[in-house]
Amino acid sequence: MKTALRTCPLCETSCGLRLTLDDDDSVVRVEGDKDDPFSKGFLCPKGAALGRLDEDPDRLTQPLMRVDGQLRPASWEEAFDEVHRGLNATMAAHGRDAVALYFGNPTFHTMAGFLYRQPLTQVLGSRNVYSASTVDQMPKHVASGLMFGDPMAVAVPDLDRTDYMLILGANPVESNGSLCVAPDFKGRLRAVQERGGKVVVVDPRRTRTAELADEHLFIHPGTDAGLLFGIVHTLFAEDLVSVDVEVTGLDELRSLARDFAPETVERACGVPAATIVRLARELAAAPSASVYARIGTCTAEFGATASWLVDVINVLTGNLDRPGGVMFAKTAGLEIFRSGQPFATGAWRSRVRGLPEVLGEFPVATMADEMETPGEGQIRALLTVGGNPALSAPGAPRLARALSGLDFMVCVDPYLNETTRHANVILPPPRILQSPHFDFLVQIIMVRNYARFSPPVLPLREDQYSEAAILAKLLLVLAGQGPDSDPAGGEEMLLGQLLAAAPGLREILDGADGTERILDALLRLGSYGLSLEAMRQAPHGLDLGPLLPRLPEILCTASGKVDLAPPTLAADVPRLLRRLRGPVPEMVLIGRRHLRSNNSWMHNVAPLVGGSNRCTLHVHPRDVARFGLGERARVRSAAGELEVPVEVTETVMPGVVSLPHGWGHEDTGQTVARRHAGVNANALTDELVVDPVSGNAVFNGVPVRVLPV
Ligand SMILES: Nc1nc2c(c(=O)[nH]1)N[C@H]1C(S)=C(S)[C@@H](COP(=O)(O)OP(=O)(O)OC[C@H]3O[C@@H](n4cnc5c(=O)[nH]c(N)nc54)[C@H](O)[C@@H]3O)O[C@H]1N2
Ligand SMILES: Nc1nc2c(c(=O)[nH]1)N[C@H]1C(S)=C(S)[C@@H](COP(=O)(O)OP(=O)(O)OC[C@H]3O[C@@H](n4cnc5c(=O)[nH]c(N)nc54)[C@H](O)[C@@H]3O)O[C@H]1N2
Ligand code: SF4
Ligand SMILES: [Mo]
């Protein structure tokens, strides 16, 4: 038996874990690491099942390669030769835009995913870059970028000090939090209440977070921007505005808000005007307050507008950049990536639908268009790293068909699944416990500054590649250096870029491999002057202190002030008004997340599926009666139709049905997931409807008809 310390890589929360392994290197116990200064022993059922997930016998242990139409085991050499051949054939015949990249959710957490994403994008030089960001948080980046100048400047609730928290479209008690890293979110919310504060949840479902809250308000899906504007209107109308940071656009904002009196928005939102007025007063009166919104508001038609108004309210109530309000974390290794240039979107536009580039990406919602529409720049080959867009993208069945029509596809993924089954080559990363972990990106969104490094628990076998080595090889293939080059050359490309400004560092860099040396460089160049050795000395993680005010360091708008009424967002306000004045849709679809799940890829672990984690349609009893539903229902949208088991529940508001995503498993050799197939919610979501400002997909508020079977 041996024990190992390890950060859980499965979600943003980054809990410290203590693993016990037997002599065969099998994980026999997972506990929360009580000595971790941030997570203090917290873990969730997914973290507890980390060993089962890691040792899943259905994970790929060697590359698969398509031969005569069939995916068959191949050596790494054969696999890289084929990747080299396939990608270069496409680039030679059709140019670099013909190769697309897709980065899925896990690449936001793995070291390799973080380190190689930008270099791969740069070296490929294709406009067809896509990521899970545009099915998730892109509206927040756009809002932050336009208001603060920096799209990565995401203001997080100062959860441990706030006196009032307004939560919209997030269910952190089950999701464990997103764009707000706070292990034991539930305990921290209870602590708000215990110190006399208040928690209000706005959600079309009475979630576990809503149950815990002091107040829960149902809202018609897709209308949060209206509700938030109603609050802004009230703050101005009642003279409750108290701004204490430098701003521009206050007058424009006031005039934009004029049309959004609470009485005007109440019908569309389904929240009484008097309640909206009271929320505004409470936010203004609280000693400190934070407005926090997530997936429910982002993956919606007015995602960017809602994200903007969240921080507008935080500014207007004097709560931006002060303890107890919303604040900016200070990362240990990312500061050098800040460009200092004011953010803008639309430097180029997508070929088929003319959608603006945002952060150098096109929306996932238009990936199928770009694959199916002939002409120069048509996508003919795809490299995915850790993603399952055949389940996760809007209008997913169409995208899956488009994948099957590609000339060539490479996937870096540990599973054969609904997406990778279309690949010509699958390159599997090693086990989680064989990989190092340092969660770069989540440092931006922590409620307390903190860092933790986990070296690999288990060594690589001779015949394995680390994920960093796989991506380094792909980088070299795209750079034209052939399939046989040493991955160390790819690592050197990264290090060379990083050290351009500090060449002297190279002599003293420390680390077992290129990835560790790059981490060492980033830590040394970072805000706290840390190093790899400092992280090794703190195996339980390093507390870097509470969030501190730092707006002046963050701001990089052209005016040098917080822009309260960015023109791009102001220009979209008439569209919101039209929506709010229009009819309330009779029936709409939203999503939901289960505690023991994570998007599409944890349904092959027996302890995580079944029970409450099932793919059912939540329907209010009134709607069950109204539509005469039995055990199953047919759900029809503009995009498609599904038949699904009905779960009658009063936790969802009338006029709304809820279906989780990540299901619809095909028979790809995942033996457990196959028995819990479920249906693909994204057969109902419409890729043709996006938030036009951010290009983000719309998963919530999809008009549907619900029919008996
Ligand atoms: N257990 C678990 N944890 C996860 C994940 C998982 O799949 N399972 N996924 C991870 C990922 S990738 C992410 S991005 C995060 C997301 O983290 P959260 O944002 O907390 O995700 P959800 O639990 O989906 O919460 C969204 C809530 O929005 C509500 N909602 C839907 N439409 C609307 C609307 O129009 N307005 C409002 N106000 N609310 C609405 C839904 O009912 C739901 O309760 O979770 C992460 N953590
Ligand atoms: N209808 C609807 N659709 C949604 C959402 C919703 O709320 N409703 N939520 C959206 C959100 S927030 C997100 S983030 C997306 C997720 O969208 P995706 O990222 O496309 O999908 P995931 O299901 O997270 O797929 C993760 C993939 O990464 C692989 N993987 C796991 N670990 C590793 C690793 O260490 N390395 C590599 N290379 N691969 C790994 C898994 O096998 C799996 O294939 O889904 C979105 N889709
Ligand atoms: S909340 Fe669960 S899945 Fe997320 S990091 Fe913690 S243990 Fe892992
Ligand atoms: Mo996500």
Side-chain angles (χ1 to χ4, degrees), residues 46 105 136 168-172 174-175 178 202-205 207 219 221-222 224 294-296 590-591 593-595 597-599 700:
K46 279 180 290 182
N105 173 279
D136 189 342
L168 305 106
N171 181 15
E174 291 188 82
S175 72
S178 180
V202 178
D203 197 305
R205 296 187 307 120
T207 60
I219 184 169
D224 296 80
R294 217 32 289 274
I295 277 290
I590 62 169
R593 281 176 162 74
H594 291 125
L595 180 64
S597 191
N598 197 27
N599 301 334
N700 292 315

Short mmCIF file of all heavy atoms in Angstrom, two decimals, residues 46 105 136 168-172 174-175 178 202-205 207 219 221-222 224 294-296 590-591 593-595 597-599 700, ligand 1:
data_model
loop_
_atom_site.label_atom_id
_atom_site.label_comp_id
_atom_site.label_asym_id
_atom_site.label_seq_id
_atom_site.Cartn_x
_atom_site.Cartn_y
_atom_site.Cartn_z
N LYS A 46 -17.61 12.21 -7.77
CA LYS A 46 -16.75 11.97 -8.94
C LYS A 46 -15.29 11.80 -8.49
O LYS A 46 -14.60 10.92 -8.96
CB LYS A 46 -16.84 13.14 -9.92
CG LYS A 46 -18.04 13.06 -10.81
CD LYS A 46 -18.08 14.23 -11.77
CE LYS A 46 -18.38 15.50 -11.02
NZ LYS A 46 -18.47 16.67 -11.89
N ASN A 105 -13.60 20.31 -23.31
CA ASN A 105 -13.55 20.75 -21.92
C ASN A 105 -12.32 20.28 -21.13
O ASN A 105 -11.68 21.08 -20.44
CB ASN A 105 -14.87 20.34 -21.24
CG ASN A 105 -14.87 20.59 -19.76
OD1 ASN A 105 -14.33 19.79 -19.01
ND2 ASN A 105 -15.43 21.70 -19.34
N ASP A 136 -20.26 27.24 -23.87
CA ASP A 136 -20.12 27.38 -22.43
C ASP A 136 -20.01 28.87 -22.05
O ASP A 136 -21.00 29.60 -22.07
CB ASP A 136 -18.90 26.55 -21.97
CG ASP A 136 -18.75 26.44 -20.48
OD1 ASP A 136 -19.36 27.24 -19.76
OD2 ASP A 136 -18.01 25.54 -20.00
N LEU A 168 -27.75 33.44 -10.55
CA LEU A 168 -28.67 33.19 -11.67
C LEU A 168 -28.12 32.08 -12.55
O LEU A 168 -26.95 32.12 -12.97
CB LEU A 168 -28.83 34.44 -12.54
CG LEU A 168 -29.28 35.72 -11.84
CD1 LEU A 168 -28.11 36.66 -11.73
CD2 LEU A 168 -30.41 36.39 -12.59
N GLY A 169 -28.96 31.07 -12.83
CA GLY A 169 -28.58 30.06 -13.81
C GLY A 169 -27.34 29.27 -13.44
O GLY A 169 -26.55 28.91 -14.31
N ALA A 170 -27.15 29.02 -12.16
CA ALA A 170 -26.05 28.17 -11.72
C ALA A 170 -26.58 27.28 -10.60
O ALA A 170 -27.44 27.69 -9.83
CB ALA A 170 -24.89 29.00 -11.20
N ASN A 171 -26.03 26.10 -10.52
CA ASN A 171 -26.46 25.14 -9.50
C ASN A 171 -25.22 24.55 -8.84
O ASN A 171 -24.93 23.36 -8.96
CB ASN A 171 -27.32 24.06 -10.14
CG ASN A 171 -27.83 23.05 -9.14
OD1 ASN A 171 -27.77 23.28 -7.92
ND2 ASN A 171 -28.31 21.92 -9.63
N PRO A 172 -24.44 25.41 -8.16
CA PRO A 172 -23.13 24.95 -7.67
C PRO A 172 -23.21 23.82 -6.64
O PRO A 172 -22.21 23.11 -6.48
CB PRO A 172 -22.52 26.21 -7.06
CG PRO A 172 -23.65 27.15 -6.83
CD PRO A 172 -24.67 26.83 -7.87
N GLU A 174 -24.69 21.14 -7.06
CA GLU A 174 -24.50 19.91 -7.83
C GLU A 174 -23.34 19.99 -8.81
O GLU A 174 -22.62 19.02 -9.03
CB GLU A 174 -25.80 19.53 -8.55
CG GLU A 174 -26.84 19.09 -7.53
CD GLU A 174 -28.09 18.51 -8.16
OE1 GLU A 174 -28.08 17.33 -8.50
OE2 GLU A 174 -29.08 19.27 -8.28
N SER A 175 -23.14 21.16 -9.43
CA SER A 175 -22.04 21.28 -10.40
C SER A 175 -20.71 21.52 -9.70
O SER A 175 -19.65 21.43 -10.31
CB SER A 175 -22.30 22.44 -11.36
OG SER A 175 -22.14 23.68 -10.71
N SER A 178 -18.70 26.91 -11.13
CA SER A 178 -18.07 27.14 -12.43
C SER A 178 -17.81 28.62 -12.58
O SER A 178 -18.66 29.44 -12.19
CB SER A 178 -19.01 26.64 -13.52
OG SER A 178 -18.45 26.83 -14.78
N VAL A 202 -32.05 32.42 -8.81
CA VAL A 202 -33.00 32.60 -9.91
C VAL A 202 -32.78 31.45 -10.88
O VAL A 202 -31.70 31.32 -11.46
CB VAL A 202 -32.73 33.95 -10.63
CG1 VAL A 202 -33.68 34.12 -11.81
CG2 VAL A 202 -32.84 35.11 -9.65
N ASP A 203 -33.80 30.60 -11.04
CA ASP A 203 -33.62 29.38 -11.83
C ASP A 203 -35.01 28.83 -12.18
O ASP A 203 -35.88 28.79 -11.31
CB ASP A 203 -32.82 28.34 -11.00
CG ASP A 203 -32.24 27.22 -11.85
OD1 ASP A 203 -33.00 26.55 -12.58
OD2 ASP A 203 -31.01 26.99 -11.76
N PRO A 204 -35.20 28.38 -13.42
CA PRO A 204 -36.50 27.77 -13.76
C PRO A 204 -36.73 26.43 -13.07
O PRO A 204 -37.80 25.83 -13.23
CB PRO A 204 -36.41 27.55 -15.28
CG PRO A 204 -35.18 28.23 -15.73
CD PRO A 204 -34.28 28.41 -14.56
N ARG A 205 -35.71 25.95 -12.35
CA ARG A 205 -35.88 24.72 -11.57
C ARG A 205 -35.57 25.01 -10.11
O ARG A 205 -34.70 25.84 -9.81
CB ARG A 205 -34.91 23.63 -12.06
CG ARG A 205 -35.14 23.18 -13.49
CD ARG A 205 -34.26 21.98 -13.83
NE ARG A 205 -32.88 22.23 -13.54
CZ ARG A 205 -32.15 21.49 -12.69
NH1 ARG A 205 -32.68 20.44 -12.05
NH2 ARG A 205 -30.88 21.79 -12.47
N THR A 207 -33.58 23.86 -7.71
CA THR A 207 -32.41 22.99 -7.62
C THR A 207 -32.02 22.80 -6.16
O THR A 207 -32.57 23.44 -5.26
CB THR A 207 -31.23 23.65 -8.35
OG1 THR A 207 -30.99 24.90 -7.70
CG2 THR A 207 -31.54 23.90 -9.82
N ILE A 219 -37.85 31.74 -13.18
CA ILE A 219 -37.75 32.73 -14.27
C ILE A 219 -38.00 32.02 -15.59
O ILE A 219 -37.63 30.85 -15.74
CB ILE A 219 -36.35 33.40 -14.28
CG1 ILE A 219 -36.29 34.51 -15.35
CG2 ILE A 219 -35.24 32.39 -14.52
CD1 ILE A 219 -35.06 35.41 -15.25
N PRO A 221 -37.09 30.79 -18.96
CA PRO A 221 -35.75 30.60 -19.52
C PRO A 221 -35.44 31.62 -20.63
O PRO A 221 -36.30 32.01 -21.40
CB PRO A 221 -35.82 29.19 -20.10
CG PRO A 221 -36.83 28.49 -19.24
CD PRO A 221 -37.85 29.53 -18.91
N GLY A 222 -34.19 32.04 -20.63
CA GLY A 222 -33.71 32.92 -21.69
C GLY A 222 -33.97 34.40 -21.46
O GLY A 222 -33.65 35.23 -22.30
N ASP A 224 -33.04 36.24 -18.54
CA ASP A 224 -32.27 36.83 -17.43
C ASP A 224 -31.81 38.26 -17.74
O ASP A 224 -31.76 39.11 -16.85
CB ASP A 224 -31.06 35.96 -17.11
CG ASP A 224 -31.48 34.61 -16.60
OD1 ASP A 224 -31.82 33.75 -17.44
OD2 ASP A 224 -31.51 34.40 -15.38
N ARG A 294 -24.24 31.85 -14.32
CA ARG A 294 -23.49 30.84 -15.04
C ARG A 294 -24.30 30.21 -16.16
O ARG A 294 -25.20 30.82 -16.69
CB ARG A 294 -22.98 29.82 -14.02
CG ARG A 294 -21.59 29.15 -14.16
CD ARG A 294 -20.46 29.87 -14.77
NE ARG A 294 -20.52 30.08 -16.18
CZ ARG A 294 -20.12 29.23 -17.14
NH1 ARG A 294 -19.63 28.05 -16.84
NH2 ARG A 294 -20.20 29.54 -18.42
N ILE A 295 -24.04 28.94 -16.44
CA ILE A 295 -24.51 28.27 -17.66
C ILE A 295 -25.93 28.63 -18.08
O ILE A 295 -26.19 28.89 -19.25
CB ILE A 295 -24.36 26.74 -17.50
CG1 ILE A 295 -22.93 26.33 -17.81
CG2 ILE A 295 -25.31 25.96 -18.37
CD1 ILE A 295 -22.55 26.45 -19.29
N GLY A 296 -26.85 28.68 -17.13
CA GLY A 296 -28.24 28.98 -17.48
C GLY A 296 -28.37 30.32 -18.17
O GLY A 296 -29.27 30.53 -19.00
N ILE A 590 -34.86 23.30 -21.24
CA ILE A 590 -33.58 23.70 -20.64
C ILE A 590 -32.81 22.43 -20.29
O ILE A 590 -33.32 21.32 -20.41
CB ILE A 590 -33.77 24.57 -19.37
CG1 ILE A 590 -34.51 23.79 -18.28
CG2 ILE A 590 -34.50 25.86 -19.70
CD1 ILE A 590 -34.51 24.48 -16.93
N GLY A 591 -31.58 22.60 -19.82
CA GLY A 591 -30.77 21.44 -19.44
C GLY A 591 -30.76 21.24 -17.94
O GLY A 591 -31.53 21.83 -17.20
N ARG A 593 -27.65 19.52 -14.80
CA ARG A 593 -26.48 18.70 -14.51
C ARG A 593 -26.73 17.83 -13.29
O ARG A 593 -27.40 18.25 -12.36
CB ARG A 593 -25.25 19.59 -14.27
CG ARG A 593 -24.65 20.08 -15.55
CD ARG A 593 -23.51 21.03 -15.33
NE ARG A 593 -22.72 21.15 -16.54
CZ ARG A 593 -23.11 21.81 -17.63
NH1 ARG A 593 -24.27 22.42 -17.65
NH2 ARG A 593 -22.35 21.84 -18.70
N HIS A 594 -26.14 16.64 -13.34
CA HIS A 594 -26.27 15.71 -12.21
C HIS A 594 -24.99 15.72 -11.41
O HIS A 594 -23.90 15.80 -11.97
CB HIS A 594 -26.52 14.30 -12.71
CG HIS A 594 -27.86 14.13 -13.35
ND1 HIS A 594 -28.02 13.64 -14.62
CD2 HIS A 594 -29.10 14.40 -12.88
CE1 HIS A 594 -29.31 13.61 -14.91
NE2 HIS A 594 -29.98 14.07 -13.88
N LEU A 595 -25.15 15.56 -10.09
CA LEU A 595 -23.98 15.54 -9.21
C LEU A 595 -22.94 14.51 -9.65
O LEU A 595 -21.75 14.78 -9.68
CB LEU A 595 -24.45 15.25 -7.77
CG LEU A 595 -23.37 15.20 -6.70
CD1 LEU A 595 -22.72 16.57 -6.55
CD2 LEU A 595 -23.94 14.75 -5.36
N SER A 597 -22.03 13.24 -12.48
CA SER A 597 -21.84 13.19 -13.92
C SER A 597 -20.91 14.31 -14.33
O SER A 597 -20.64 15.22 -13.55
CB SER A 597 -23.20 13.34 -14.62
OG SER A 597 -23.08 13.06 -16.00
N ASN A 598 -20.41 14.27 -15.53
CA ASN A 598 -19.66 15.38 -16.07
C ASN A 598 -19.76 15.34 -17.58
O ASN A 598 -19.09 14.55 -18.22
CB ASN A 598 -18.20 15.33 -15.63
CG ASN A 598 -17.51 16.66 -15.83
OD1 ASN A 598 -18.16 17.70 -15.81
ND2 ASN A 598 -16.23 16.64 -16.06
N ASN A 599 -20.63 16.15 -18.11
CA ASN A 599 -20.85 16.19 -19.55
C ASN A 599 -21.03 14.77 -20.07
O ASN A 599 -21.82 14.02 -19.52
CB ASN A 599 -19.72 16.97 -20.23
CG ASN A 599 -19.65 18.40 -19.69
OD1 ASN A 599 -20.65 18.92 -19.23
ND2 ASN A 599 -18.49 19.01 -19.73
N ASN A 700 -30.57 26.77 -23.60
CA ASN A 700 -31.67 27.00 -22.66
C ASN A 700 -32.71 27.94 -23.27
O ASN A 700 -32.36 28.95 -23.86
CB ASN A 700 -31.11 27.61 -21.37
CG ASN A 700 -30.26 26.60 -20.62
OD1 ASN A 700 -30.65 25.44 -20.49
ND2 ASN A 700 -29.10 27.01 -20.18
N1 LIG B 1 -21.78 17.21 -11.39
C1 LIG B 1 -21.45 17.90 -12.47
N2 LIG B 1 -20.65 18.96 -12.31
C2 LIG B 1 -20.28 19.67 -13.39
C3 LIG B 1 -20.63 19.31 -14.70
C4 LIG B 1 -21.48 18.18 -14.85
O1 LIG B 1 -21.87 17.81 -15.97
N3 LIG B 1 -21.88 17.52 -13.71
N4 LIG B 1 -20.21 20.05 -15.76
C5 LIG B 1 -19.15 21.03 -15.54
C6 LIG B 1 -19.22 22.09 -16.55
S1 LIG B 1 -18.53 21.75 -18.08
C7 LIG B 1 -19.76 23.32 -16.32
S2 LIG B 1 -19.71 24.51 -17.54
C8 LIG B 1 -20.31 23.67 -15.03
C9 LIG B 1 -21.63 24.44 -15.09
O2 LIG B 1 -22.00 24.78 -13.80
P1 LIG B 1 -23.45 25.40 -13.52
O3 LIG B 1 -23.59 26.66 -14.30
O4 LIG B 1 -23.65 25.50 -12.07
O5 LIG B 1 -24.33 24.30 -14.22
P2 LIG B 1 -25.78 23.70 -14.07
O6 LIG B 1 -25.84 22.76 -12.95
O7 LIG B 1 -26.14 23.22 -15.42
O8 LIG B 1 -26.65 24.95 -13.67
C10 LIG B 1 -27.30 25.75 -14.58
C11 LIG B 1 -28.66 26.08 -14.02
O9 LIG B 1 -29.27 27.01 -14.88
C12 LIG B 1 -30.65 26.73 -14.89
N5 LIG B 1 -31.21 27.40 -16.06
C13 LIG B 1 -31.49 26.89 -17.28
N6 LIG B 1 -31.94 27.87 -18.09
C14 LIG B 1 -31.95 29.01 -17.37
C15 LIG B 1 -32.30 30.36 -17.66
O10 LIG B 1 -32.70 30.72 -18.76
N7 LIG B 1 -32.15 31.27 -16.66
C16 LIG B 1 -31.71 30.92 -15.41
N8 LIG B 1 -31.59 31.87 -14.49
N9 LIG B 1 -31.40 29.65 -15.11
C17 LIG B 1 -31.49 28.72 -16.09
C18 LIG B 1 -30.74 25.24 -14.87
O11 LIG B 1 -32.00 24.84 -14.37
C19 LIG B 1 -29.58 24.87 -13.95
O12 LIG B 1 -30.01 24.67 -12.63
O13 LIG B 1 -20.48 22.50 -14.24
C20 LIG B 1 -19.32 21.70 -14.20
N10 LIG B 1 -19.50 20.76 -13.15
#
